[in-house]
Amino acid sequence: MFDKIIVPLDGSEFSEEALPYAVKLANTLDAKLILVNVTELPFLVKDTPEREMRVVNQGESYLEDIADIINDENLGLHIDPKKVQTISVYGDPNQEIAKTAQLEGANLVVMTTHGRGGISRLMLGSVATAVVKRASIPVVLIKPIETSHPKLWEEIMNKTSPTFATDNNHILLPLDGSTEAEAAIKPAIEMAHKLQAKIYLLEMIAPFVSFGYGNIAMSYGYTSLNAGEELERMRQEAVDYLERIQGQIRKENIECSRLVLIGKPEEGITEYARDINATLLVMATHAPGRLGEVLLGSVTNEVLRQTHLPVLIVKATTPVREAVYQAGEATV
């Protein structure tokens, strides 16, 4: 697992900010790095084989320049040229990135949430959303830094790795008790082994909020005549649940702690990640209904808006509670 990493690049500095993370991960995981550029003709430009070939060649030239940089042994962070492959294709990035990952047998995508189009304050970039939707493998998403500083990522590589830099790695694994969220457990365990990391389990319990209906408290769709007792019952259930998960993870010879907090999930996850100096967040996306087929889960989406830490997204499509811990049988 995690021996072929796809890195989509569109020529923008936003997309290139994924490179330091991808290179460090590839070195740590002893994985191959596959740089992919997907180009399409500008709007209203007539599509011809000659024009297609021209933009594909331009993409390949761009990727070769990037490969030369990350292969440079004079940089503090670099990768063996033998472990780097470049692929330039023509088509719709929303489709071609996932298709290329499948054709190449990749098992991880590392990319920024936004590329050439810049950063939207409203939602994830369309390409990142499409890759998570279409790809059958985990995707590490990184929110790029809005800056006018040219080639910021090159400076990072020349000095130090932005993360995964020591053996003191911390993986934050938020769970909510659902089978969909548990799809993130197996990849978290795999990453913990590879990064020699400790796993921090977290479950957030949304607080009851009164809307003025006497002693009936309402929040996030549930009601209770006795909010205090109900909240304590939910907290204890979460403690017991995480204790079981913690025991299973420790059987994998991985250090693991657990914590239950009361508060808004996206805020609690982001703040706790800062508190533990997290290296990586691992989360499953499982938004219900039709929107869930297109957009990331609301909590995952909010966390990605609020943090610049890399977030490993696992798409959960089927129940996995019984299978996720069967050694050698669970797949990602």
Side-chain angles (χ1 to χ4, degrees):
M1 190 184 292
F2 304 143
D3 60 356
K4 285 187 179 181
I5 302 174
I6 290 279
V7 185
L9 300 169
D10 64 10
S12 71
E13 292 171 11
F14 284 125
S15 70
E16 291 166 2
E17 286 185 41
L19 286 166
Y21 300 92
V23 169
K24 184 61 180 180
L25 262 180
N27 286 337
T28 303
L29 302 176
D30 193 23
K32 183 178 182 179
L33 208 57
I34 305 175
L35 309 180
V36 178
N37 176 253
V38 182
T39 54
E40 52 189 343
L41 291 173
F43 185 62
L44 296 180
V45 175
K46 185 177 180 181
D47 192 349
T48 66
E50 293 76 16
R51 289 195 175 107
E52 288 183 20
M53 184 58 66
R54 187 180 305 122
V55 296
V56 168
N57 289 339
Q58 289 172 348
E60 186 61 38
S61 178
Y62 160 69
L63 292 179
E64 289 175 356
D65 289 342
I66 294 293
D68 287 342
I69 294 172
I70 64 176
N71 294 155
D72 188 351
E73 295 183 359
N74 294 317
L75 292 179
L77 178 62
H78 62 275
I79 187 170
D80 187 336
K82 296 178 181 178
K83 293 185 177 181
V84 179
Q85 177 184 354
T86 59
I87 299 177
S88 177
V89 298
Y90 175 81
D92 180 359
N94 292 340
Q95 300 179 22
E96 296 299 330
I97 293 172
K99 186 185 299 183
T100 301
Q102 182 178 16
L103 291 173
E104 294 298 321
N107 36 42
L108 187 66
V109 178
V110 177
M111 64 185 297
T112 58
T113 57
H114 294 81
R116 186 179 291 114
I119 297 179
S120 165
R121 289 181 172 85
L122 299 178
M123 62 183 298
L124 282 173
S126 60
V127 174
T129 302
V131 171
V132 172
K133 174 189 173 184
R134 296 173 182 275
S136 59
I137 57 178
V139 180
V140 174
L141 292 179
I142 301 148
K143 179 183 175 184
I145 300 172
E146 286 189 276
T147 177
S148 59
H149 196 298
K151 297 298 180 185
L152 174 67
W153 64 273
E154 287 189 34
E155 286 199 2
I156 293 174
M157 295 190 70
N158 194 37
K159 295 177 180 177
T160 182
S161 169
T163 190
F164 317 127
T166 69
D167 292 338
N168 190 29
N169 289 306
H170 299 160
I171 294 175
L172 176 55
L173 176 59
L175 298 171
D176 61 11
S178 70
T179 56
E180 292 88 353
E182 290 176 10
I185 297 175
K186 183 68 175 178
I189 289 174
E190 179 72 13
M191 279 294 183
H193 279 304
K194 296 291 187 179
L195 300 176
Q196 300 180 31
K198 177 179 178 179
I199 292 179
Y200 290 78
L201 298 175
L202 174 67
E203 182 162 353
M204 297 296 305
I205 299 177
F208 288 98
V209 178
S210 174
F211 287 93
Y213 295 100
N215 62 345
I216 300 178
M218 302 180 65
S219 177
Y220 294 94
Y222 53 75
T223 63
S224 174
L225 295 175
N226 192 326
E229 291 182 5
E230 180 68 7
L231 199 60
E232 176 57 26
R233 181 191 66 77
M234 295 173 65
R235 189 196 70 80
Q236 190 57 53
E237 284 184 356
V239 169
D240 294 342
Y241 168 71
L242 289 188
E243 185 176 11
R244 293 196 301 272
I245 301 296
Q246 181 187 41
Q248 292 168 319
I249 290 176
R250 285 178 171 174
K251 289 180 181 178
E252 302 282 344
N253 296 318
I254 295 171
E255 188 178 358
C256 180
S257 66
R258 68 182 190 272
L259 180 66
V260 175
L261 295 175
I262 298 173
K264 298 180 74 171
E266 59 274 14
E267 293 179 0
I269 292 170
T270 304
E271 291 175 5
Y272 189 50
R274 287 196 295 264
D275 291 344
I276 65 172
N277 195 23
T279 302
L280 177 71
L281 279 74
V282 183
M283 303 179 67
T285 178
H286 53 279
R290 290 175 57 190
L291 283 178
E293 298 174 1
V294 181
L295 303 178
L296 291 174
S298 60
V299 173
T300 308
N301 203 16
E302 276 303 314
V303 170
L304 282 162
R305 286 195 186 105
Q306 295 182 26
T307 184
H308 286 283
L309 287 171
V311 182
L312 176 61
I313 305 295
V314 182
K315 184 172 64 176
T317 56
T318 57
V320 293
R321 185 187 298 272
E322 298 301 325
V324 73
Y325 286 113
Q326 295 178 9
E329 294 183 9
T331 58
V332 178

